[in-house]
Amino acid sequence: MKDWGEPRFRARQIYEGLYKHGFDSFDSFTTLSKALRKKLAENFVIRRLRQVDSISSEKDGTRKFLWALGDAYKIESVIIYEGRRTTFCISSQVGCPLDCKFCATGKMGLLRNLTPGEITEQVFRMAEIIGSRPTNIVYMGMGEPMLNYEAVIAAARVLGDVDGFGLAPRRITISTSGIIPGIYRFADEGQPFSLAVSLNSVDDEVRKKIMPVSKKYPIEKLLQAARYYTEKSGRLITFEYVLLDKFNSTQQDARKLVRLTHSLKSKINVIPCNSDEELYRPPSEEKIAVFRESVNDRSRRITLRKRKGWEIQAACGQLYAENERRKKKPKN
Ligand code: SF4
């Protein structure tokens, strides 16, 4: 606005129009002159995501979207309903460089980072489609948020700003697979958002097998970073633990998980795996119950998440992969 010789408050009018009111066309900015609206429309676009696919779970309402970006790369977002919570799970990158073995996105490699606009737009589009706002937002879709730190935080600021989308910042969770420098930076900057770490194993050898990122960032160092964050911020950290039958779901695993994390101000979310691959299946219901019981720790909140959207490939990257498979199938 300064470059165009406009007064400062125009920038705020545009910001609030975009993020507080969610306008999707410059015609809606009636507080601006017609000439300025025209100039904006000639120089900028507001929305870039095109919905390519969407599937819903009949069982639990989980809804998944596949979006094409302006350059035709595709990303996914998911809406998860749990009691009174409506959680929007959003992507931060196209693909992901970290290659977690149980994750379909990991097989794509990293194609590119998302811009802050592409991140926030996932939220706006889903809210428009279902006609209501989320209670929570988690960065647990495609990509490792800490590897696209600036854009992820810029988007989270808009989403958590009272003059922007207006969700309480603590209801926005940045979930990392364990990028240690990112955790320290997040703590040092005093970010107001919540932090989760996908731990998934408390044994370095096993974790290296299922999450190659662990070769660079071992568990002990990761837990040190988690402690630093909790002490510096005075807040809880969430450990996500995806249960994989063949790797991390024994009673000993559960006990070790409690032993290593009980002195940390934390909660644990245990989530049976959502993969459709034979090697990375979830454990049986009985095994899950035993794990849950063994991990029980009165001083902390332990949540066993249900496998949401199991029949609709709700884990990240699965709708993308299915869409690609369908494209390649020869037509009869
Ligand atoms: S689980 Fe997350 S960090 Fe791991 S490969 Fe998939 S998108 Fe990347």
Side-chain angles (χ1 to χ4, degrees):
M1 289 299 99
K2 195 177 162 197
D3 288 351
W4 286 1
E6 294 286 341
R8 268 180 94 88
F9 67 85
R10 291 271 179 256
R12 179 137 294 271
Q13 286 177 318
I14 293 170
Y15 177 85
E16 289 186 4
L18 288 173
Y19 297 118
K20 194 170 191 170
H21 308 302
F23 295 156
D24 59 3
S25 155
F26 288 110
D27 293 335
S28 307
F29 289 74
T30 48
T31 50
L32 307 179
S33 69
K34 272 195 180 156
L36 183 56
R37 281 186 253 161
K38 186 165 174 277
K39 195 167 172 188
L40 284 165
E42 282 164 4
N43 286 277
F44 298 98
V45 285
I46 297 183
R47 300 290 166 96
R48 294 180 69 92
L49 302 189
R50 184 173 55 81
Q51 189 180 321
V52 177
D53 206 347
S54 159
I55 39 175
S56 302
S57 161
E58 280 176 19
K59 276 192 204 144
D60 55 35
T62 301
R63 195 154 172 197
K64 186 159 195 171
F65 299 90
L66 185 68
W67 314 103
L69 305 170
D71 53 10
Y73 279 136
K74 296 190 192 88
I75 53 162
E76 296 178 355
S77 324
V78 185
I79 303 176
I80 300 160
Y81 298 98
E82 237 173 353
R84 288 190 190 155
R85 287 161 71 108
T86 302
T87 303
F88 285 8
C89 175
I90 56 174
S91 294
S92 57
Q93 297 181 306
V94 187
C96 180
L98 294 186
D99 196 23
C100 300
K101 299 302 174 193
F102 48 86
C103 167
T105 303
K107 294 183 180 53
M108 294 165 64
L110 175 66
L111 299 173
R112 74 166 169 84
N113 281 332
L114 293 184
T115 63
E118 288 164 338
I119 296 171
T120 51
E121 193 179 341
Q122 296 168 61
V123 174
F124 280 92
R125 293 295 296 276
M126 290 193 287
E128 265 165 27
I129 290 169
I130 65 168
S132 66
R133 293 163 59 83
T135 56
N136 298 75
I137 294 172
V138 291
Y139 282 85
M140 283 183 88
M142 290 176 151
E144 163 53 56
M146 292 296 187
L147 295 181
N148 186 17
Y149 190 93
E150 274 84 10
V152 160
I153 296 296
R157 284 211 182 107
V158 168
L159 296 170
D161 179 9
V162 281
D163 291 326
F165 188 68
L167 200 66
R170 66 187 162 78
R171 293 189 172 273
I172 300 170
T173 302
I174 315 293
S175 176
T176 177
S177 59
I179 303 292
I180 291 175
I183 297 174
Y184 281 108
R185 181 172 175 190
F186 191 82
D188 287 337
E189 289 176 356
Q191 294 295 348
F193 314 109
S194 297
L195 182 66
V197 171
S198 290
L199 196 54
N200 303 341
S201 173
V202 278
D203 179 298
D204 262 321
E205 290 315 306
V206 173
R207 197 166 189 272
K208 276 183 211 164
K209 273 190 205 145
I210 57 175
M211 300 178 76
V213 68
S214 214
K215 292 177 193 157
K216 192 165 178 190
Y217 301 120
I219 293 168
E220 195 192 338
K221 295 251 162 48
L222 181 54
L223 294 178
Q224 275 169 15
R227 185 176 302 282
Y228 181 84
Y229 166 75
T230 55
E231 287 173 358
K232 185 117 186 167
S233 66
R235 301 182 55 174
L236 284 177
I237 193 165
T238 301
F239 291 113
E240 308 279 357
Y241 195 99
V242 174
L243 279 179
L244 300 157
D245 187 32
K246 296 197 167 87
F247 293 92
N248 61 4
S249 52
T250 64
Q251 214 170 7
Q252 288 91 310
D253 290 321
R255 289 192 180 131
K256 195 170 173 194
L257 173 62
V258 173
R259 203 168 61 243
L260 285 183
T261 59
H262 82 276
S263 66
L264 270 161
K265 203 173 166 192
S266 59
K267 59 179 181 174
I268 300 176
N269 278 341
V270 178
I271 317 157
C273 176
N274 233 355
S275 165
D276 53 3
E277 279 190 40
E278 188 50 40
L279 191 57
Y280 303 105
R281 303 294 285 180
S284 64
E285 293 299 327
E286 298 75 46
K287 217 169 156 185
I288 293 172
V290 171
F291 189 93
R292 169 79 174 82
E293 194 47 43
S294 316
V295 93
N296 214 350
D297 179 344
R298 275 195 213 115
S299 61
R300 271 187 309 182
R301 220 170 86 206
I302 316 280
T303 316
L304 176 65
R305 286 262 168 85
K306 295 204 180 93
R307 275 184 293 155
K308 292 282 176 181
W310 172 243
E311 80 284 13
I312 64 154
Q313 298 114 4
C316 86
Q318 288 179 355
L319 180 58
Y320 174 92
E322 176 57 27
N323 200 270
E324 293 299 295
R325 265 198 294 275
R326 280 207 301 261
K327 267 195 333 206
K328 281 181 197 147
K329 247 190 200 169
K331 292 203 175 82
N332 293 325

